[in-house]
Amino acid sequence: MLLDAKGLNTYYGESHVLQNMSVAVDSGEIVALLGRNGMGKSTTMKSIMGLVKPKSGTVLFQGTDITNLPPYKTAKAGIGYVPEERRIFPNLSVLDNLKMGIKHGAAANISSRNKWTLDRIFEHFPFMKARTHQKGALLSGGEQQMLAIGRTLMGNPDLLMVDEPTEGLAPVTVKEVRDILEDINKAGVSILLVEHNLKVAMSLADRVYLMGKAHLGFTGTKEELDARPDIRAKYLEV
Ligand SMILES: Nc1ncnc2c1ncn2[C@@H]1O[C@H](COP(=O)(O)OP(=O)(O)O)[C@@H](O)[C@H]1O
Ligand SMILES: [Mg+2]
């Protein structure tokens, strides 16, 4: 397994928001983490990243225990994270936003097979090349999402964790973001995806995890989930 997070217990104050939560991603996979609002999907990603600290549980990445590393060290180990809020720098140009994603010197993920350069980013996201000097704030919602993804790729992640990338986007843009994730995966980046759009998630994922309140409710291939309308009704907004 590339990522193997096991038995995570995470609290916000007294509130036990992850109860023995586990999720794994194999090399080359796209894995979708689904469930209704407030179940703990974002907290699962934040616990893996080290943004919130699980009280117990283990996060193994490429066989190394990375539990509770600070986020910059998790990134250095090879995990890229695009949060729900897709924080690009609105006052920086597209080019400077991308450069912010470069982990330089000792911080680079030198073991990565997934080396990204500006030229390679422009091949995958042609609109950026034409607009390198435009401020981030002037991009559309979908373009900002793609810039956030592109910036994270500049850190050469082996695993990209993307939280709700199509949220609030127009249908045509949803398709663009979906296609870019498939494209990036084909280029060698494994993906853990939280996505409320079931069609998008099912069209991308090799395997699916469904979260009930604070815990894992179902895990299987997308074919197995396709065959279980009862499970979809229990855990998803369908
Ligand atoms: N910073 C926080 N402080 C306290 N409670 C939080 C915080 N972030 C999320 N929660 C709560 O934790 C639970 C899980 O949230 P979250 O992981 O964001 O769910 P999801 O991403 O599945 O919608 C929810 O009940 C939410 O209200
Ligand atoms: Mg969330």
PDB file of all heavy atoms in Angstrom, residues 98 115-130 132 146 150 153-154 179-180 183-184 187:
ATOM      1  N   LEU A  98       2.105  29.010  -8.897  1.00  0.00           N
ATOM      2  CA  LEU A  98       2.721  27.710  -9.187  1.00  0.00           C
ATOM      3  C   LEU A  98       4.067  27.584  -8.483  1.00  0.00           C
ATOM      4  O   LEU A  98       4.390  26.547  -7.906  1.00  0.00           O
ATOM      5  CB  LEU A  98       2.895  27.519 -10.700  1.00  0.00           C
ATOM      6  CG  LEU A  98       1.601  27.301 -11.480  1.00  0.00           C
ATOM      7  CD1 LEU A  98       1.901  27.295 -12.984  1.00  0.00           C
ATOM      8  CD2 LEU A  98       0.917  25.988 -11.087  1.00  0.00           C
ATOM      9  N   LYS A 115       8.015  13.865 -10.995  1.00  0.00           N
ATOM     10  CA  LYS A 115       8.646  15.181 -11.044  1.00  0.00           C
ATOM     11  C   LYS A 115       7.840  16.118 -11.937  1.00  0.00           C
ATOM     12  O   LYS A 115       7.518  15.782 -13.064  1.00  0.00           O
ATOM     13  CB  LYS A 115      10.061  15.060 -11.619  1.00  0.00           C
ATOM     14  CG  LYS A 115      10.992  14.279 -10.743  1.00  0.00           C
ATOM     15  CD  LYS A 115      11.922  15.220  -9.977  1.00  0.00           C
ATOM     16  CE  LYS A 115      12.840  14.448  -9.073  1.00  0.00           C
ATOM     17  NZ  LYS A 115      12.286  14.216  -7.741  1.00  0.00           N
ATOM     18  N   TRP A 116       7.548  17.273 -11.422  1.00  0.00           N
ATOM     19  CA  TRP A 116       6.793  18.248 -12.202  1.00  0.00           C
ATOM     20  C   TRP A 116       7.623  19.498 -12.435  1.00  0.00           C
ATOM     21  O   TRP A 116       8.311  19.973 -11.537  1.00  0.00           O
ATOM     22  CB  TRP A 116       5.484  18.612 -11.495  1.00  0.00           C
ATOM     23  CG  TRP A 116       4.528  17.456 -11.515  1.00  0.00           C
ATOM     24  CD1 TRP A 116       4.517  16.398 -10.646  1.00  0.00           C
ATOM     25  CD2 TRP A 116       3.494  17.210 -12.480  1.00  0.00           C
ATOM     26  NE1 TRP A 116       3.523  15.510 -11.008  1.00  0.00           N
ATOM     27  CE2 TRP A 116       2.879  15.982 -12.126  1.00  0.00           C
ATOM     28  CE3 TRP A 116       3.022  17.901 -13.604  1.00  0.00           C
ATOM     29  CZ2 TRP A 116       1.808  15.431 -12.847  1.00  0.00           C
ATOM     30  CZ3 TRP A 116       1.967  17.361 -14.313  1.00  0.00           C
ATOM     31  CH2 TRP A 116       1.376  16.146 -13.945  1.00  0.00           C
ATOM     32  N   THR A 117       7.537  20.015 -13.670  1.00  0.00           N
ATOM     33  CA  THR A 117       8.172  21.280 -14.014  1.00  0.00           C
ATOM     34  C   THR A 117       7.064  22.201 -14.513  1.00  0.00           C
ATOM     35  O   THR A 117       5.949  21.741 -14.781  1.00  0.00           O
ATOM     36  CB  THR A 117       9.166  21.077 -15.179  1.00  0.00           C
ATOM     37  OG1 THR A 117       8.413  20.535 -16.293  1.00  0.00           O
ATOM     38  CG2 THR A 117      10.280  20.117 -14.794  1.00  0.00           C
ATOM     39  N   LEU A 118       7.381  23.488 -14.648  1.00  0.00           N
ATOM     40  CA  LEU A 118       6.375  24.405 -15.183  1.00  0.00           C
ATOM     41  C   LEU A 118       5.918  23.955 -16.569  1.00  0.00           C
ATOM     42  O   LEU A 118       4.727  23.961 -16.874  1.00  0.00           O
ATOM     43  CB  LEU A 118       6.937  25.827 -15.242  1.00  0.00           C
ATOM     44  CG  LEU A 118       7.032  26.544 -13.887  1.00  0.00           C
ATOM     45  CD1 LEU A 118       7.818  27.841 -14.035  1.00  0.00           C
ATOM     46  CD2 LEU A 118       5.646  26.823 -13.299  1.00  0.00           C
ATOM     47  N   ASP A 119       6.862  23.510 -17.395  1.00  0.00           N
ATOM     48  CA  ASP A 119       6.492  23.080 -18.747  1.00  0.00           C
ATOM     49  C   ASP A 119       5.512  21.907 -18.716  1.00  0.00           C
ATOM     50  O   ASP A 119       4.549  21.862 -19.493  1.00  0.00           O
ATOM     51  CB  ASP A 119       7.737  22.659 -19.541  1.00  0.00           C
ATOM     52  CG  ASP A 119       8.491  23.881 -20.063  1.00  0.00           C
ATOM     53  OD1 ASP A 119       7.886  24.974 -20.065  1.00  0.00           O
ATOM     54  OD2 ASP A 119       9.677  23.741 -20.422  1.00  0.00           O
ATOM     55  N   ARG A 120       5.763  20.993 -17.794  1.00  0.00           N
ATOM     56  CA  ARG A 120       4.884  19.830 -17.690  1.00  0.00           C
ATOM     57  C   ARG A 120       3.501  20.252 -17.178  1.00  0.00           C
ATOM     58  O   ARG A 120       2.476  19.740 -17.644  1.00  0.00           O
ATOM     59  CB  ARG A 120       5.542  18.798 -16.759  1.00  0.00           C
ATOM     60  CG  ARG A 120       4.930  17.441 -16.915  1.00  0.00           C
ATOM     61  CD  ARG A 120       5.756  16.342 -16.293  1.00  0.00           C
ATOM     62  NE  ARG A 120       4.905  15.165 -16.197  1.00  0.00           N
ATOM     63  CZ  ARG A 120       4.859  14.362 -15.144  1.00  0.00           C
ATOM     64  NH1 ARG A 120       5.644  14.575 -14.107  1.00  0.00           N
ATOM     65  NH2 ARG A 120       4.050  13.330 -15.145  1.00  0.00           N
ATOM     66  N   ILE A 121       3.474  21.198 -16.251  1.00  0.00           N
ATOM     67  CA  ILE A 121       2.184  21.723 -15.774  1.00  0.00           C
ATOM     68  C   ILE A 121       1.421  22.352 -16.944  1.00  0.00           C
ATOM     69  O   ILE A 121       0.225  22.109 -17.136  1.00  0.00           O
ATOM     70  CB  ILE A 121       2.402  22.772 -14.656  1.00  0.00           C
ATOM     71  CG1 ILE A 121       2.945  22.115 -13.382  1.00  0.00           C
ATOM     72  CG2 ILE A 121       1.110  23.554 -14.361  1.00  0.00           C
ATOM     73  CD1 ILE A 121       1.957  21.295 -12.587  1.00  0.00           C
ATOM     74  N   PHE A 122       2.120  23.144 -17.758  1.00  0.00           N
ATOM     75  CA  PHE A 122       1.451  23.823 -18.885  1.00  0.00           C
ATOM     76  C   PHE A 122       0.931  22.829 -19.921  1.00  0.00           C
ATOM     77  O   PHE A 122      -0.062  23.090 -20.591  1.00  0.00           O
ATOM     78  CB  PHE A 122       2.391  24.846 -19.532  1.00  0.00           C
ATOM     79  CG  PHE A 122       2.748  25.993 -18.625  1.00  0.00           C
ATOM     80  CD1 PHE A 122       3.981  26.623 -18.740  1.00  0.00           C
ATOM     81  CD2 PHE A 122       1.859  26.452 -17.661  1.00  0.00           C
ATOM     82  CE1 PHE A 122       4.318  27.679 -17.901  1.00  0.00           C
ATOM     83  CE2 PHE A 122       2.185  27.499 -16.815  1.00  0.00           C
ATOM     84  CZ  PHE A 122       3.416  28.119 -16.939  1.00  0.00           C
ATOM     85  N   GLU A 123       1.620  21.680 -20.063  1.00  0.00           N
ATOM     86  CA  GLU A 123       1.105  20.645 -20.969  1.00  0.00           C
ATOM     87  C   GLU A 123      -0.251  20.134 -20.496  1.00  0.00           C
ATOM     88  O   GLU A 123      -1.141  19.860 -21.293  1.00  0.00           O
ATOM     89  CB  GLU A 123       2.052  19.440 -20.979  1.00  0.00           C
ATOM     90  CG  GLU A 123       3.135  19.481 -22.023  1.00  0.00           C
ATOM     91  CD  GLU A 123       4.142  18.366 -21.766  1.00  0.00           C
ATOM     92  OE1 GLU A 123       3.721  17.234 -21.411  1.00  0.00           O
ATOM     93  OE2 GLU A 123       5.359  18.642 -21.889  1.00  0.00           O
ATOM     94  N   HIS A 124      -0.370  19.963 -19.176  1.00  0.00           N
ATOM     95  CA  HIS A 124      -1.612  19.420 -18.620  1.00  0.00           C
ATOM     96  C   HIS A 124      -2.690  20.488 -18.427  1.00  0.00           C
ATOM     97  O   HIS A 124      -3.875  20.179 -18.433  1.00  0.00           O
ATOM     98  CB  HIS A 124      -1.332  18.709 -17.290  1.00  0.00           C
ATOM     99  CG  HIS A 124      -0.602  17.403 -17.454  1.00  0.00           C
ATOM    100  ND1 HIS A 124      -1.238  16.196 -17.541  1.00  0.00           N
ATOM    101  CD2 HIS A 124       0.718  17.142 -17.581  1.00  0.00           C
ATOM    102  CE1 HIS A 124      -0.334  15.226 -17.701  1.00  0.00           C
ATOM    103  NE2 HIS A 124       0.862  15.785 -17.722  1.00  0.00           N
ATOM    104  N   PHE A 125      -2.271  21.712 -18.208  1.00  0.00           N
ATOM    105  CA  PHE A 125      -3.213  22.823 -17.978  1.00  0.00           C
ATOM    106  C   PHE A 125      -2.882  23.963 -18.951  1.00  0.00           C
ATOM    107  O   PHE A 125      -2.316  24.982 -18.543  1.00  0.00           O
ATOM    108  CB  PHE A 125      -3.073  23.384 -16.562  1.00  0.00           C
ATOM    109  CG  PHE A 125      -3.210  22.403 -15.436  1.00  0.00           C
ATOM    110  CD1 PHE A 125      -2.102  21.731 -14.938  1.00  0.00           C
ATOM    111  CD2 PHE A 125      -4.443  22.186 -14.823  1.00  0.00           C
ATOM    112  CE1 PHE A 125      -2.213  20.857 -13.858  1.00  0.00           C
ATOM    113  CE2 PHE A 125      -4.552  21.309 -13.741  1.00  0.00           C
ATOM    114  CZ  PHE A 125      -3.441  20.640 -13.268  1.00  0.00           C
ATOM    115  N   PRO A 126      -3.233  23.798 -20.242  1.00  0.00           N
ATOM    116  CA  PRO A 126      -2.806  24.779 -21.249  1.00  0.00           C
ATOM    117  C   PRO A 126      -3.272  26.212 -20.955  1.00  0.00           C
ATOM    118  O   PRO A 126      -2.571  27.162 -21.293  1.00  0.00           O
ATOM    119  CB  PRO A 126      -3.422  24.268 -22.548  1.00  0.00           C
ATOM    120  CG  PRO A 126      -3.912  22.899 -22.277  1.00  0.00           C
ATOM    121  CD  PRO A 126      -3.985  22.677 -20.802  1.00  0.00           C
ATOM    122  N   PHE A 127      -4.431  26.373 -20.300  1.00  0.00           N
ATOM    123  CA  PHE A 127      -4.922  27.736 -20.063  1.00  0.00           C
ATOM    124  C   PHE A 127      -3.946  28.553 -19.215  1.00  0.00           C
ATOM    125  O   PHE A 127      -3.880  29.763 -19.336  1.00  0.00           O
ATOM    126  CB  PHE A 127      -6.323  27.717 -19.423  1.00  0.00           C
ATOM    127  CG  PHE A 127      -6.324  27.537 -17.924  1.00  0.00           C
ATOM    128  CD1 PHE A 127      -6.287  28.647 -17.074  1.00  0.00           C
ATOM    129  CD2 PHE A 127      -6.351  26.272 -17.365  1.00  0.00           C
ATOM    130  CE1 PHE A 127      -6.279  28.486 -15.690  1.00  0.00           C
ATOM    131  CE2 PHE A 127      -6.345  26.107 -15.986  1.00  0.00           C
ATOM    132  CZ  PHE A 127      -6.303  27.210 -15.154  1.00  0.00           C
ATOM    133  N   MET A 128      -3.166  27.881 -18.386  1.00  0.00           N
ATOM    134  CA  MET A 128      -2.259  28.609 -17.493  1.00  0.00           C
ATOM    135  C   MET A 128      -1.114  29.257 -18.261  1.00  0.00           C
ATOM    136  O   MET A 128      -0.654  30.330 -17.911  1.00  0.00           O
ATOM    137  CB  MET A 128      -1.669  27.673 -16.434  1.00  0.00           C
ATOM    138  CG  MET A 128      -2.679  27.217 -15.404  1.00  0.00           C
ATOM    139  SD  MET A 128      -1.851  26.253 -14.128  1.00  0.00           S
ATOM    140  CE  MET A 128      -3.256  25.327 -13.521  1.00  0.00           C
ATOM    141  N   LYS A 129      -0.693  28.581 -19.321  1.00  0.00           N
ATOM    142  CA  LYS A 129       0.450  29.086 -20.084  1.00  0.00           C
ATOM    143  C   LYS A 129       0.120  30.437 -20.706  1.00  0.00           C
ATOM    144  O   LYS A 129       0.967  31.335 -20.750  1.00  0.00           O
ATOM    145  CB  LYS A 129       0.857  28.091 -21.166  1.00  0.00           C
ATOM    146  CG  LYS A 129       2.131  28.516 -21.861  1.00  0.00           C
ATOM    147  CD  LYS A 129       2.753  27.428 -22.685  1.00  0.00           C
ATOM    148  CE  LYS A 129       4.111  27.908 -23.169  1.00  0.00           C
ATOM    149  NZ  LYS A 129       4.853  26.852 -23.836  1.00  0.00           N
ATOM    150  N   ALA A 130      -1.117  30.559 -21.179  1.00  0.00           N
ATOM    151  CA  ALA A 130      -1.537  31.806 -21.816  1.00  0.00           C
ATOM    152  C   ALA A 130      -1.775  32.923 -20.790  1.00  0.00           C
ATOM    153  O   ALA A 130      -1.916  34.078 -21.159  1.00  0.00           O
ATOM    154  CB  ALA A 130      -2.815  31.550 -22.613  1.00  0.00           C
ATOM    155  N   THR A 132      -0.007  33.317 -17.588  1.00  0.00           N
ATOM    156  CA  THR A 132       0.969  33.230 -16.495  1.00  0.00           C
ATOM    157  C   THR A 132       1.017  34.475 -15.619  1.00  0.00           C
ATOM    158  O   THR A 132       1.283  34.395 -14.440  1.00  0.00           O
ATOM    159  CB  THR A 132       2.405  32.980 -17.007  1.00  0.00           C
ATOM    160  OG1 THR A 132       2.624  33.845 -18.112  1.00  0.00           O
ATOM    161  CG2 THR A 132       2.629  31.539 -17.403  1.00  0.00           C
ATOM    162  N   MET A 146      -8.066  24.370 -10.611  1.00  0.00           N
ATOM    163  CA  MET A 146      -6.991  23.728 -11.371  1.00  0.00           C
ATOM    164  C   MET A 146      -5.631  24.308 -10.989  1.00  0.00           C
ATOM    165  O   MET A 146      -4.630  23.584 -10.928  1.00  0.00           O
ATOM    166  CB  MET A 146      -7.265  23.831 -12.864  1.00  0.00           C
ATOM    167  CG  MET A 146      -8.417  22.889 -13.257  1.00  0.00           C
ATOM    168  SD  MET A 146      -8.681  22.771 -15.007  1.00  0.00           S
ATOM    169  CE  MET A 146     -10.078  23.860 -15.201  1.00  0.00           C
ATOM    170  N   GLY A 150      -2.527  22.321  -9.684  1.00  0.00           N
ATOM    171  CA  GLY A 150      -1.223  22.487 -10.347  1.00  0.00           C
ATOM    172  C   GLY A 150      -0.140  22.896  -9.362  1.00  0.00           C
ATOM    173  O   GLY A 150       0.979  22.371  -9.389  1.00  0.00           O
ATOM    174  N   LEU A 153       0.881  19.942  -7.369  1.00  0.00           N
ATOM    175  CA  LEU A 153       1.712  19.022  -8.161  1.00  0.00           C
ATOM    176  C   LEU A 153       3.163  19.481  -8.223  1.00  0.00           C
ATOM    177  O   LEU A 153       4.075  18.648  -8.318  1.00  0.00           O
ATOM    178  CB  LEU A 153       1.154  18.895  -9.580  1.00  0.00           C
ATOM    179  CG  LEU A 153      -0.159  18.122  -9.716  1.00  0.00           C
ATOM    180  CD1 LEU A 153      -0.648  18.179 -11.164  1.00  0.00           C
ATOM    181  CD2 LEU A 153       0.002  16.663  -9.275  1.00  0.00           C
ATOM    182  N   MET A 154       3.390  20.791  -8.163  1.00  0.00           N
ATOM    183  CA  MET A 154       4.765  21.310  -8.210  1.00  0.00           C
ATOM    184  C   MET A 154       5.608  20.807  -7.037  1.00  0.00           C
ATOM    185  O   MET A 154       6.835  20.899  -7.062  1.00  0.00           O
ATOM    186  CB  MET A 154       4.765  22.842  -8.246  1.00  0.00           C
ATOM    187  CG  MET A 154       4.275  23.438  -9.563  1.00  0.00           C
ATOM    188  SD  MET A 154       5.266  22.959 -10.999  1.00  0.00           S
ATOM    189  CE  MET A 154       6.712  24.030 -10.772  1.00  0.00           C
ATOM    190  N   ASP A 179     -11.732  15.538 -15.643  1.00  0.00           N
ATOM    191  CA  ASP A 179     -10.807  15.026 -16.655  1.00  0.00           C
ATOM    192  C   ASP A 179      -9.344  15.276 -16.267  1.00  0.00           C
ATOM    193  O   ASP A 179      -8.477  14.446 -16.557  1.00  0.00           O
ATOM    194  CB  ASP A 179     -11.106  15.659 -18.026  1.00  0.00           C
ATOM    195  CG  ASP A 179     -12.440  15.163 -18.592  1.00  0.00           C
ATOM    196  OD1 ASP A 179     -13.026  14.212 -18.021  1.00  0.00           O
ATOM    197  OD2 ASP A 179     -12.904  15.738 -19.600  1.00  0.00           O
ATOM    198  N   ILE A 180      -9.090  16.399 -15.624  1.00  0.00           N
ATOM    199  CA  ILE A 180      -7.703  16.689 -15.238  1.00  0.00           C
ATOM    200  C   ILE A 180      -7.236  15.701 -14.161  1.00  0.00           C
ATOM    201  O   ILE A 180      -6.083  15.275 -14.150  1.00  0.00           O
ATOM    202  CB  ILE A 180      -7.526  18.172 -14.812  1.00  0.00           C
ATOM    203  CG1 ILE A 180      -6.081  18.621 -15.016  1.00  0.00           C
ATOM    204  CG2 ILE A 180      -7.887  18.435 -13.375  1.00  0.00           C
ATOM    205  CD1 ILE A 180      -5.701  18.935 -16.394  1.00  0.00           C
ATOM    206  N   ASP A 183      -6.349  12.549 -15.905  1.00  0.00           N
ATOM    207  CA  ASP A 183      -5.123  12.807 -16.644  1.00  0.00           C
ATOM    208  C   ASP A 183      -3.889  12.756 -15.714  1.00  0.00           C
ATOM    209  O   ASP A 183      -2.878  12.127 -16.034  1.00  0.00           O
ATOM    210  CB  ASP A 183      -5.331  14.209 -17.254  1.00  0.00           C
ATOM    211  CG  ASP A 183      -4.173  14.685 -18.066  1.00  0.00           C
ATOM    212  OD1 ASP A 183      -3.682  13.897 -18.884  1.00  0.00           O
ATOM    213  OD2 ASP A 183      -3.758  15.854 -17.888  1.00  0.00           O
ATOM    214  N   ILE A 184      -4.003  13.372 -14.565  1.00  0.00           N
ATOM    215  CA  ILE A 184      -2.904  13.391 -13.593  1.00  0.00           C
ATOM    216  C   ILE A 184      -2.637  11.987 -13.062  1.00  0.00           C
ATOM    217  O   ILE A 184      -1.501  11.576 -12.872  1.00  0.00           O
ATOM    218  CB  ILE A 184      -3.270  14.347 -12.428  1.00  0.00           C
ATOM    219  CG1 ILE A 184      -3.200  15.793 -12.906  1.00  0.00           C
ATOM    220  CG2 ILE A 184      -2.363  14.135 -11.219  1.00  0.00           C
ATOM    221  CD1 ILE A 184      -3.915  16.737 -11.966  1.00  0.00           C
ATOM    222  N   ALA A 187      -0.767  10.081 -15.446  1.00  0.00           N
ATOM    223  CA  ALA A 187       0.623  10.544 -15.453  1.00  0.00           C
ATOM    224  C   ALA A 187       1.417   9.977 -14.271  1.00  0.00           C
ATOM    225  O   ALA A 187       2.609  10.243 -14.145  1.00  0.00           O
ATOM    226  CB  ALA A 187       0.656  12.070 -15.439  1.00  0.00           C
TER     227      ALA A 187
END
